Amino acid sequence: MNGDYDMNVNCRTNDILDPDQKSTFVLGHDLNMNYMTRYKNEGVKALVAAARLEMDPAKRKATYADVQKQAKADVHWIDLYYSPFISVTNKGGSELWPEPAWPVLAGTDSKDQLKRPTEFARGGPLSPPLSQQQGTCHDNRHRRRDCGSRQVAKALSRSGWRGGCNAGRVIAARAWGHANVDTAQPMTIGTRLPICSISKQFTCQVLLATVADPAVLDAKVAGFLPQFTGTLPTVRQLCDNQSGLRDYWALTVLHGAFAEQPFRREDALPLIARMKTGHFPPGTQYSYCNCNFRLLSEMIEAETGVALDELYKQHVWGPAQMKTAVLTADTSQPEDGVVGYEGSDAAGFFPAQNAIYWVGDAGISASLSDMLAYEAWIDATRDDEGSLYRRASVSPHFIDGKPAAYGYGVSHESIAGLDFSGHGGALRGFRAHRLNAREARLSVVVMFNHEADAHGAAESLVHAAMGRIAPAEAPLPVGWDGQWIGPNGLLTRVKSGRSYASLNHAGGAERLTLAAEGTLTSPGATLARKADGLTLTRVKDNTEATLVALAILDSANVDEIAGQYHSTELEALMEIVAHDGAAHVRFSGLLGSGRMERVVPAGPDVWTVATRRSMDAPAPGDWTMIMKRNAKGAVIGLTLGCWLAREIEYKRV
């Protein structure tokens, strides 16, 4: 088409992810004659280019206002007819997404919450599908604000679904990308994805529905831990991740498992039964532990005589109208032909091969429609103190009376000044997160079939809904960088940037920023300089520890640590192999002999073992290995641990 025409009959759909896409196409693009209009204004073209690069949201908005003002003054085209958003479909229409009438979240009088027309992120608002809007005309007067986030924008270039509810009403639902890129199978709001550890709260709600008092089952815990020498956890402590037990998925690495090998239903209980100690006394701290919920599922089924999936249907899925939710305990057979993808933009993406059997701690598959129905049910029962989610989301405590942030499979956190309950989930190739603010009556659900940050995306949607912009971060003073060992035997590292520091202690890196009192803080941790050294406080874990500085070593004698080591705790072996200055370790145990993992010196007699892929996700990450020597200086053993499984003793054989 050469632009030689007077009139064009056209229609369009809205797939615009950023204002630049449309403004460049229509006003700043010479090659297509600015959408075949032959319009040309070098001043407008320069403004479009400037807006494309502007990072300040307010300045960018002002520049686009100038673009619109000048272009309209030039009358670059005239719409002979414009409909203010009228959509008509028959009852059989489904998953047809209109250009939205921007949803307005119901306001509240407290905390200036939810008062603006909003959308939930870049890539378009999350309005309901036309099949849920029968008989409704939408006046598209509320224009979009650019309140997206890097996490959401990046995830939108791949695939997943996300949605939200306010006051029990679905205000947002969107699916994009592909459930399987090889077959071009599209992702839809009806595509069932593994919600992974979000399943934990369903297990706890079934427990509350079927057992009058969870303490009734306390005596049954001993049967699963026949060799345990310490104080046994209660059922409530299992529900609250205060058991002190080491996570069984982390222990699969030390028992010689490959990430891709099958883990059968019958493999779990023998592994758990070998446990003899915990890594803290029950009720005193928090530590994430999947086997807590595996034990719950076994006890619930034994007590009721009913399979767990039937109990889910009876007590949660049915009342919540989660019509397509199922228990997919075998991860090698995901529902609806879905494929999860490992990898990164730099390395590329590849299908994740999962083969674990999990139940109680994870296993549920659900669609976006199912999860939004669940959020609506939570809202509908929010004032009923006897309702299952209300009971499961009560504020938990440690045995010392201090408030805890996790109970009955529900995590508690504050975002944008609101108190949220929710949970995340992960399996290799999948990430999920849901959040609910009871007082604001706001819920957000995010699910990816890749490994982007689902919690970050969900948090971004909350900020978008609230119209909040994060305050500028203060520059960090020098002197925070270094590494330390804490009383839990874990290597702690801090690396500073210009306005934030990365803390590596409990799994992945945590982002710390400078607080007014001079400490470095994140939602989960505080680093403070005191007279006796650096103090790390983790309120969620109920811990405070003075860290011991550790000198950094880039090289060490690998030959003196080479050899075989045995763990009585695990009834398992490890072999450290030294070859020409490099060291690797292989773990062997109940599940076989695993792959060689690299061993790297960190400090005097302190090494790290990197596990980047394992049966569960995220993988344990870096294990801290602390060597033990006798009076003559010979290595006689070691202590190995990660946040999920700490301070495991090995003796040299």
Side-chain angles (χ1 to χ4, degrees):
M1 196 170 191
N2 63 8
D4 187 14
Y5 63 94
D6 296 316
M7 183 179 295
N8 177 33
V9 178
N10 199 2
C11 62
R12 66 187 178 93
T13 60
N14 181 18
D15 58 355
I16 303 304
L17 299 181
D18 186 273
D20 176 61
Q21 289 180 259
K22 187 66 178 290
S23 59
T24 296
F25 186 67
V26 175
L27 302 172
H29 201 322
D30 292 337
L31 294 179
N32 74 346
M33 292 175 286
N34 286 327
Y35 202 21
M36 311 306 163
T37 63
R38 297 185 183 275
Y39 173 70
K40 191 170 185 179
N41 182 322
E42 293 298 331
V44 170
K45 183 178 177 182
L47 284 172
V48 170
R52 182 184 307 127
L53 301 176
E54 180 58 61
M55 299 300 291
D56 185 297
K59 292 180 180 179
R60 196 174 196 229
K61 181 178 180 180
T63 304
Y64 278 122
D66 289 342
V67 169
Q68 180 169 295
K69 182 178 180 180
Q70 291 192 38
K72 290 301 180 184
D74 290 343
V75 195
H76 69 297
W77 76 32
I78 298 175
D79 291 314
L80 298 183
Y81 172 77
Y82 173 73
S83 169
F85 198 84
I86 297 175
S87 301
V88 180
T89 64
N90 63 28
K91 292 182 179 180
S94 65
E95 298 174 16
L96 174 63
W97 301 95
E99 181 177 358
W102 319 116
V104 182
L105 300 182
T108 65
D109 293 330
S110 62
K111 300 183 181 179
D112 191 31
Q113 297 165 357
L114 308 176
K115 291 186 177 179
R116 305 173 181 84
T118 66
E119 69 170 283
F120 270 140
R122 192 186 225 137
L126 306 178
S127 52
L130 291 178
S131 57
Q132 298 176 17
Q133 302 175 5
Q134 302 299 328
T136 304
C137 292
H138 301 276
D139 188 349
N140 189 9
R141 297 189 181 106
H142 298 297
R143 304 312 300 167
R144 181 163 74 135
R145 296 184 300 111
D146 183 11
C147 52
S149 70
R150 286 188 178 92
Q151 297 101 319
V152 176
K154 196 169 185 178
L156 281 169
S157 67
R158 298 171 195 155
S159 50
W161 45 246
R162 58 192 171 95
C165 292
N166 181 231
R169 180 175 63 90
V170 175
I171 57 169
R174 187 180 181 92
W176 68 97
H178 295 87
N180 184 328
V181 297
D182 290 345
T183 64
Q185 177 185 338
M187 185 73 72
T188 73
I189 64 169
T191 303
R192 290 173 294 182
L193 300 175
I195 66 171
C196 307
S197 287
I198 296 174
S199 305
K200 289 177 171 66
Q201 61 198 255
F202 291 81
T203 302
C204 289
Q205 288 175 63
V206 164
L207 173 71
L208 293 172
T210 56
V211 180
D213 180 3
V216 171
L217 300 180
D218 286 349
K220 297 185 180 297
V221 175
F224 297 97
L225 299 166
Q227 301 184 62
F228 205 78
T229 59
T231 302
L232 289 166
T234 65
V235 169
R236 178 62 194 271
Q237 288 163 349
L238 296 177
C239 294
D240 295 354
N241 270 333
Q242 296 179 24
S243 69
L245 300 179
R246 297 179 178 92
D247 180 60
Y248 77 141
W249 291 122
L251 295 182
T252 62
V253 175
L254 307 186
H255 276 288
F258 281 76
E260 302 84 3
Q261 80 180 57
F263 185 88
R264 305 163 301 171
R265 177 166 192 165
E266 57 267 30
D267 289 330
L269 296 185
L271 189 153
I272 296 170
R274 291 192 178 192
M275 295 184 183
K276 301 168 184 63
T277 64
H279 48 196
F280 57 77
T284 61
Q285 298 180 33
Y286 163 86
S287 182
Y288 199 80
C289 181
N290 287 283
C291 60
N292 292 338
F293 300 88
R294 179 57 185 270
L295 295 181
L296 287 176
S297 70
E298 297 287 343
M299 287 188 281
I300 291 169
E301 289 189 338
E303 183 72 10
T304 62
V306 180
L308 190 61
D309 59 338
E310 291 300 320
L311 294 172
Y312 286 152
K313 293 175 186 177
Q314 179 180 347
H315 297 289
V316 184
W317 299 346
Q321 296 295 301
M322 299 176 68
K323 297 179 180 179
T324 66
V326 293
L327 179 61
T328 313
D330 182 357
T331 60
S332 69
Q333 301 293 328
E335 303 297 330
D336 300 333
V338 168
V339 176
Y341 294 92
E342 297 183 75
S344 65
D345 289 323
F349 293 88
F350 55 93
Q353 297 179 17
N354 295 294
I356 61 176
Y357 184 100
W358 53 6
V359 62
D361 54 333
I364 295 174
S365 295
S367 67
L368 177 57
S369 297
D370 292 323
M371 293 305 295
L372 293 178
Y374 178 58
E375 300 299 334
W377 178 64
I378 289 172
D379 182 81
T381 60
R382 70 192 182 283
D383 293 328
D384 179 2
E385 294 186 357
S387 65
L388 290 179
Y389 192 82
R390 180 72 183 270
R391 292 172 65 192
S393 59
V394 295
S395 299
H397 292 81
F398 295 102
I399 59 173
D400 61 7
K402 293 180 182 178
Y406 192 101
Y408 284 124
V410 175
S411 183
H412 299 263
E413 62 180 307
S414 177
I415 302 173
L418 296 176
D419 292 330
F420 280 87
S421 62
H423 211 286
L427 175 66
R428 281 188 295 107
F430 298 94
R431 294 294 185 269
H433 211 94
R434 62 158 297 269
L435 294 167
N436 170 260
R438 180 176 172 271
E439 289 188 10
R441 302 181 68 184
L442 173 66
S443 290
V444 169
V445 184
V446 175
M447 183 79 204
F448 302 138
N449 63 332
H450 50 84
E451 297 182 346
D453 179 8
H455 178 271
E459 186 175 11
S460 296
L461 299 184
V462 171
H463 282 285
M466 297 292 294
R468 299 291 180 91
I469 298 176
E473 297 171 341
L476 295 188
V478 298
W480 285 100
D481 289 24
Q483 63 178 22
W484 300 261
I485 292 289
N488 54 14
L490 297 184
L491 181 65
T492 301
R493 285 172 165 162
V494 176
K495 185 177 181 180
S496 299
R498 182 175 181 180
S499 59
Y500 70 92
S502 294
L503 168 68
N504 286 90
H505 174 81
E510 297 177 68
R511 181 187 178 103
L512 305 179
T513 56
L514 187 66
E517 61 272 19
T519 61
L520 297 185
T521 64
S522 73
T526 298
L527 274 176
R529 291 173 172 143
K530 295 188 177 180
D532 55 351
L534 197 67
T535 299
L536 173 62
T537 302
R538 298 182 64 83
V539 175
K540 183 175 182 178
D541 297 354
N542 200 32
T543 62
E544 181 174 315
T546 299
L547 305 178
V548 178
L550 180 69
I552 298 174
L553 288 183
D554 295 324
S555 62
N557 183 0
V558 298
D559 294 321
E560 65 175 353
I561 68 170
Q564 283 199 332
Y565 298 79
H566 178 264
S567 171
T568 301
E569 170 68 31
L570 303 179
E571 302 172 35
L573 292 168
M574 73 159 69
E575 181 180 12
I576 300 177
V577 178
H579 179 70
D580 204 15
H584 291 80
V585 62
R586 184 197 298 272
F587 299 105
S588 301
L590 189 64
L591 302 174
S593 293
R595 59 170 48 95
M596 302 298 290
E597 301 279 18
R598 189 181 177 207
V599 181
V600 179
D605 277 340
V606 178
W607 303 70
T608 61
V609 179
T611 301
R612 295 293 179 259
R613 297 178 70 250
S614 62
M615 284 186 162
D616 191 24
D622 286 343
W623 299 82
T624 302
M625 180 186 291
I626 303 177
M627 312 311 296
K628 292 186 175 182
R629 298 178 182 268
N630 61 17
K632 295 181 179 181
V635 174
I636 58 171
L638 60 86
T639 300
L640 184 70
C642 66
W643 184 67
L644 293 169
R646 306 167 207 163
E647 299 182 290
I648 301 169
E649 299 287 337
Y650 283 80
K651 291 183 179 180
R652 196 168 195 168
V653 295

